[in-house]
Amino acid sequence: MRLDSNVYEMTEESREGAVYWDLIEAKRKLEFYLTQYEVELAAIERRKKLLLWALEIQIPLIGIIILIIIAFAIFSLFGSFASFFLIAAIIYLTYSSIRIAVSYLRHTAKIEADNIYTLSQERIDVQAEMGRVREAIHKIDLVLAQKQTVWNPNEPEELTAARLREEAFEEQGHKCLDEISYELTFKEKRADYLYGERIK
C-alpha cells in the first residue's frame, strides 16, 4: 500500500512538473510575441515615414520641373515637345502627391477613412494586444511564484493571496493556461496598402 502511495505522489509531482513547463513555454512564447508586436509598431511608423518621404521627394521635384519649363520657354530650348512632356510629368506628380497626402491623412486618422483598415487603427490594436500579452505574462509569473517554498515578507499581496488559496498548483496552472489561451496566438492584421506602396 505504501508503494502505491509513493507512485501516486510521483505521478502528482510529474503532473505538476508538466504544468510548470507548460507555463514556462507559454511565457517564452508570449515574450516572443511581445517582441514581435514591438517590431509591428516600428513597421507602422516606418510605413508612415515612407509616405512622408515620398511627398518630400515629389513636391520639390514638381518645383524643379516647373523651373525647367520656364527656362525652356525663356531660352526657347528643345521646342514644344519637351515642354509638353514635362507638363505631363508635372500633372502625374501632382496627382500622385495628392493621392499620397490623402493616403497619409487617412492612415493617420486626420480624415475619415471608410472601409479601410488604417495604420492608426493597426497601431491601436497592436498596443492593446501588447497590454493583453503583458497581463498574461503577469498571470503566469503569479502562478509560477507559488512554486517557491520560502515565503518572502516583501512579496506582493496578490501573490500571498494566491498562495493561500485551496487550489493545487496543477489546477491553478491549467486555469491560468485556459485564461491566456487567446493571447497564445499571434494576432497579425496588416493595414491596407498605402497609395504607392509596393507589395514585398
Side-chain angles (χ1 to χ4, degrees):
M1 190 68 167
R2 186 171 187 152
L3 182 65
D4 292 340
S5 173
N6 288 338
V7 169
Y8 173 77
E9 286 175 13
M10 288 177 63
T11 305
E12 185 177 347
E13 187 176 305
S14 65
R15 282 199 311 259
E16 284 190 2
V19 170
Y20 178 83
W21 287 111
D22 286 345
L23 289 167
I24 293 291
E25 186 61 34
K27 183 177 176 181
R28 286 183 185 149
K29 187 183 278 191
L30 289 170
E31 287 170 344
F32 174 74
Y33 288 168
L34 202 54
T35 304
Q36 289 299 106
Y37 287 130
E38 288 168 2
V39 169
E40 291 287 319
L41 284 179
I44 290 167
E45 292 306 312
R46 188 174 62 250
R47 291 176 81 194
K48 281 197 265 187
K49 285 178 183 173
L50 285 173
L51 272 179
L52 287 178
W53 180 77
L55 278 177
E56 290 169 0
I57 294 294
Q58 288 188 10
I59 291 174
L61 193 56
I62 291 169
I64 291 169
I65 293 173
I66 289 172
L67 291 176
I68 292 172
I69 290 174
I70 291 171
F72 282 1
I74 291 173
F75 300 111
S76 300
L77 299 172
F78 302 111
S80 60
F81 176 75
S83 295
F84 286 132
F85 176 76
L86 291 174
I87 288 170
I90 288 175
I91 291 169
Y92 171 76
L93 287 173
T94 303
Y95 169 77
S96 178
S97 296
I98 291 169
R99 293 286 305 269
I100 289 170
V102 169
S103 181
Y104 178 80
L105 293 172
R106 290 171 82 187
H107 277 278
T108 55
K110 301 280 192 301
I111 61 175
E112 191 173 333
D114 297 326
N115 302 323
I116 70 165
Y117 184 60
T118 64
L119 287 173
S120 179
Q121 187 59 48
E122 182 184 359
R123 183 175 50 79
I124 290 167
D125 291 346
V126 168
Q127 288 173 336
E129 199 56 45
M130 287 175 76
R132 284 192 287 272
V133 168
R134 286 190 183 105
E135 180 62 28
I137 290 171
H138 178 68
K139 287 179 181 178
I140 290 174
D141 286 340
L142 280 178
V143 175
L144 290 176
Q146 293 174 54
K147 281 295 277 183
Q148 297 173 350
T149 54
V150 180
W151 178 73
N152 178 0
N154 297 324
E155 73 182 5
E157 290 179 15
E158 57 187 337
L159 178 56
T160 305
R163 193 190 300 280
L164 295 175
R165 282 191 213 124
E166 295 289 325
E167 297 171 306
F169 173 77
E170 182 187 356
E171 292 170 14
Q172 290 182 15
H174 284 302
K175 183 179 176 183
C176 178
L177 289 170
D178 288 342
E179 287 175 0
I180 65 168
S181 60
Y182 178 76
E183 283 74 32
L184 289 173
T185 304
F186 186 72
K187 320 300 183 303
E188 186 174 15
K189 187 176 179 187
R190 188 177 164 92
D192 293 338
Y193 288 109
L194 286 58
Y195 176 75
E197 187 175 53
R198 299 288 180 265
I199 300 173
K200 294 181 181 177

